[in-house]
Amino acid sequence: MKRMEGCILVGGNAKPPKEITVYKIMSVQLLIDVNTHRIVQSNFNLISPLTQACLEELVNGYCVEESLEPLFQTIKEKICLSTTGSLIQAIKNAVERYREKMGKQICSR
């Protein structure tokens, strides 16, 4: 099966905290299965492979048809970085873009 078969790639971004000078922008790309609305794969523009791997573990498999708040709460509990809020905002932006692309609000809960 090809990676893009049945999927849509969306991206989102957010400004990092002012004290963070390594990043001009925090961004995320999400590959979402249009049938299950689950995140198949994710990528964050992070320097640390460990942070990337931890975020992938939390985000991949999440159904964007459901409320994002449980995901965000888990990220806040497990990822304690100065960029956590920006990463959450980038995810939120990407999911909103997916919902717009699908032509419906999948979840308003």
Side-chain angles (χ1 to χ4, degrees):
M1 181 167 139
K2 294 182 181 180
R3 181 186 314 258
M4 293 295 298
E5 191 172 310
C7 295
I8 292 178
L9 180 66
V10 294
N13 51 54
K15 290 184 180 181
K18 291 180 182 178
E19 68 270 10
I20 304 298
T21 58
V22 176
Y23 303 105
K24 292 183 180 180
I25 195 157
M26 303 300 303
S27 66
V28 61
Q29 298 81 41
L30 304 175
L31 186 63
I32 303 175
D33 184 304
V34 297
N35 295 312
T36 64
H37 308 293
R38 291 196 178 278
I39 299 169
V40 176
Q41 191 172 352
S42 59
N43 184 61
F44 297 83
N45 71 323
L46 301 170
I47 294 171
S48 167
L50 178 59
T51 305
Q52 173 74 28
C54 291
L55 281 164
E56 287 175 1
E57 186 176 317
L58 296 175
V59 171
N60 292 356
Y62 197 84
C63 179
V64 298
E65 193 172 38
E66 299 171 8
S67 171
L68 296 176
E69 287 310 312
L71 173 62
F72 296 156
Q73 189 60 38
T74 301
I75 291 172
K76 289 175 189 175
E77 290 171 4
K78 304 284 185 179
I79 310 282
C80 300
L81 303 171
S82 56
T83 56
T84 302
S86 298
L87 293 167
I88 288 171
Q89 185 60 48
I91 294 167
K92 190 180 294 187
N93 291 343
V95 171
E96 286 172 4
R97 187 163 283 130
Y98 172 75
R99 291 174 178 170
E100 288 172 8
K101 175 72 175 170
M102 295 304 292
K104 60 183 175 184
Q105 287 296 317
I106 295 173
C107 177
S108 314
R109 296 178 226 170

